[in-house]
């Protein structure tokens, strides 16, 4: 969590909508549509469209939803890290117009994260949008009683086998926790994580995403991309992306460097935009000059194309 920081009004701040929508689970309720993003609000059975205009302003349609939409923008990435690591300090300055969206319902976060397992974010977004429309808003009881074959068809592009995950873990939440995982906000992170890992179809990254983006626990979700960037930048001395390496990276980031959970979004952005798996863009990376580039010795740097 951020701690005591000034409340910022997203309506008066510069926002990079693409970066904001591309890096966090809380943004996956917004589906790419035309030049912007579409979100279904089940309480009013309404789609709302959001796009960024050429002058940087955000346009919301219908306009009467503007206040509701802008309230979802919580704070910029410039606030997620207050330490002295130069890699992260440069990154947060570079991504200062990327915003963290507010915490969402933890059950919604759980379902979206399951849909992202081994799939792209865009695939999960489109699948979630279909689910929301079909069920007029999903909740634990609707999913626990969903017809498995119908659900398999609805989520086919994100993996039909996940229908079993969704139905069974929803039933477990009802049976074990009276239909809610909200109680996990007020218990230690370790206890909440163990409870989530005990649900069918929930692995370490899924559990950590739910803890961070919906339950307010400052944990660092670790995947292949976090491993790669952490190794190259020296944030972790782990190598590779085995399960053992992921545990080491998580330990290094959370305990040795004491990086707040939301600060891992800076690492994700670096990986997506510059520290790519095959052709890292050293020439234009915001941490060029201070990055040790561990493990990139045999890689070829992608060169600028002259226009």
């Amino acid at each position: 969590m951020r701690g005591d920081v000034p409340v910022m009004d997203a309506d008066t701040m510069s926002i990079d909508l693409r970066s904001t929508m591309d890096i966090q689970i809380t943004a996956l309720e917004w589906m790419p549509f035309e030049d912007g993003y579409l979100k279904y609000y089940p309480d009013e059975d309404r789609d709302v469209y959001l796009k960024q205009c050429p002058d940087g302003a955000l346009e919301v349609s219908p306009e009467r939803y503007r206040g509701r939409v802008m309230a979802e923008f919580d704070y910029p990435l410039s606030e997620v890290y207050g330490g002295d690591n130069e890699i992260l300090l440069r990154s947060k300055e570079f991504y200062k117009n990327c915003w963290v969206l507010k915490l969402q319902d933890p059950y919604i976060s759980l379902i979206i994260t399951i849909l992202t397992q081994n799939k792209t974010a865009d695939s999960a977004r489109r699948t979630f949008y279909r689910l929301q429309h079909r069920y007029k808003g999903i909740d634990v009881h609707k999913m626990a009683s969903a017809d498995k074959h119908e659900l398999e068809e609805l989520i086919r592009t994100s993996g039909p086998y996940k229908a079993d995950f969704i139905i069974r873990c929803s039933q477990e939440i009802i049976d074990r926790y009276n239909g809610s995982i909200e109680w996990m906000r007020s218990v230690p992170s370790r206890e909440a994580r163990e409870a989530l890992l005990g649900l069918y179809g929930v692995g370490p990254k899924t559990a950590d995403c739910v803890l961070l983006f919906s339950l307010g626990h400052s944990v660092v979700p670790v995947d292949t991309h976090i491993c790669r960037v952490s190794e190259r930048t020296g944030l972790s001395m782990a190598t590779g992306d085995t399960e053992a390496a992921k545990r080491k990276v998580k330990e290094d980031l959370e305990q040795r460097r004491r990086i707040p959970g939301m600060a891992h979004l800076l690492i994700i952005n670096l990986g997506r935009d510059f520290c790519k798996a095959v052709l890292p863009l050293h020439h234009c990376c915001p941490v060029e000059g201070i990055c040790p580039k561990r493990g990139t010795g045999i890689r070829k740097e992608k060169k600028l194309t002259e226009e």
Side-chain angles (χ1 to χ4, degrees), residues 33-218:
F33 180 75
E34 296 181 347
D35 295 328
Y37 298 86
L38 200 65
K39 179 176 177 177
Y40 175 69
Y41 287 88
D43 58 328
E44 297 195 31
D45 192 21
R46 181 77 193 224
D47 283 333
V48 175
Y49 180 65
L50 171 66
K51 75 171 185 178
Q52 189 150 38
C53 302
D55 64 359
L58 297 184
E59 179 182 306
V60 178
S61 180
E63 173 64 25
R64 67 185 179 88
Y65 284 86
R66 181 174 186 83
R68 182 171 182 175
V69 170
M70 297 309 297
E72 295 183 20
F73 291 81
D74 204 0
Y75 54 92
L77 284 192
S78 59
E79 293 187 22
V80 300
Y81 180 70
D84 58 4
N85 181 271
E86 191 63 27
I87 295 286
L88 295 178
L89 289 174
R90 286 200 187 184
S91 299
K92 79 170 190 175
E93 173 60 25
F94 187 84
Y95 290 111
K96 62 185 178 183
N97 293 332
C98 177
W99 280 58
V100 174
L101 298 186
K102 286 188 176 177
L103 302 183
Q104 64 192 165
D105 180 299
Y107 179 74
I108 295 294
S109 180
L110 175 61
I111 298 305
I112 290 178
T113 311
I114 288 174
L115 293 174
T116 66
Q117 293 172 357
N118 302 311
K119 293 293 179 178
T120 65
D122 278 355
S123 172
R125 281 176 150 134
R126 297 181 190 283
T127 300
F128 181 74
Y129 180 80
R130 286 196 298 273
L131 289 179
Q132 284 281 71
H133 266 274
R134 165 61 183 85
Y135 295 101
K136 301 301 180 184
I138 67 170
D139 61 39
V140 67
H141 296 284
K142 291 178 182 178
M143 293 296 96
S145 60
D147 179 82
K148 182 178 178 181
H149 296 298
E150 180 185 19
L151 187 55
E152 286 174 342
E153 286 302 313
L154 285 168
I155 68 171
R156 181 161 298 280
T157 56
S158 293
Y161 64 92
K162 294 176 184 176
D164 198 31
F165 293 174
I166 292 171
I167 292 172
R168 286 183 58 178
C169 81
S170 298
Q171 291 170 342
E172 289 172 348
I173 291 171
I174 292 172
D175 293 341
R176 298 176 190 176
Y177 309 123
N178 199 29
S180 174
I181 55 176
E182 288 284 348
W183 63 272
M184 296 181 187
R185 295 183 189 276
S186 58
V187 300
S189 297
R190 182 185 295 274
E191 180 181 344
R193 191 172 194 264
E194 288 177 355
L196 285 169
L197 289 173
L199 296 174
Y200 188 73
V202 176
K205 183 189 174 185
T206 297
D208 285 341
C209 283
V210 176
L211 289 171
L212 175 64
F213 291 114
S214 294
L215 292 169
H217 292 273
S218 186

Side-chain angles (χ1 to χ4, degrees), residues 229-249:
V229 180
S230 296
E231 175 186 353
R232 290 178 178 176
T233 58
L235 289 170
S236 172
M237 299 309 291
T239 58
D241 61 355
T242 63
E243 290 306 311
K246 290 177 182 177
R247 289 193 294 271
K248 173 61 175 170
V249 169

Side-chain angles (χ1 to χ4, degrees), residues 267-288:
I267 304 173
I268 291 177
N269 262 337
L270 277 181
R272 182 197 64 196
D273 294 337
F274 303 102
C275 197
K276 300 177 184 294
V278 178
L279 295 172
L281 307 180
H282 298 310
H283 60 272
C284 56
C285 180
V287 300
E288 170 65 6

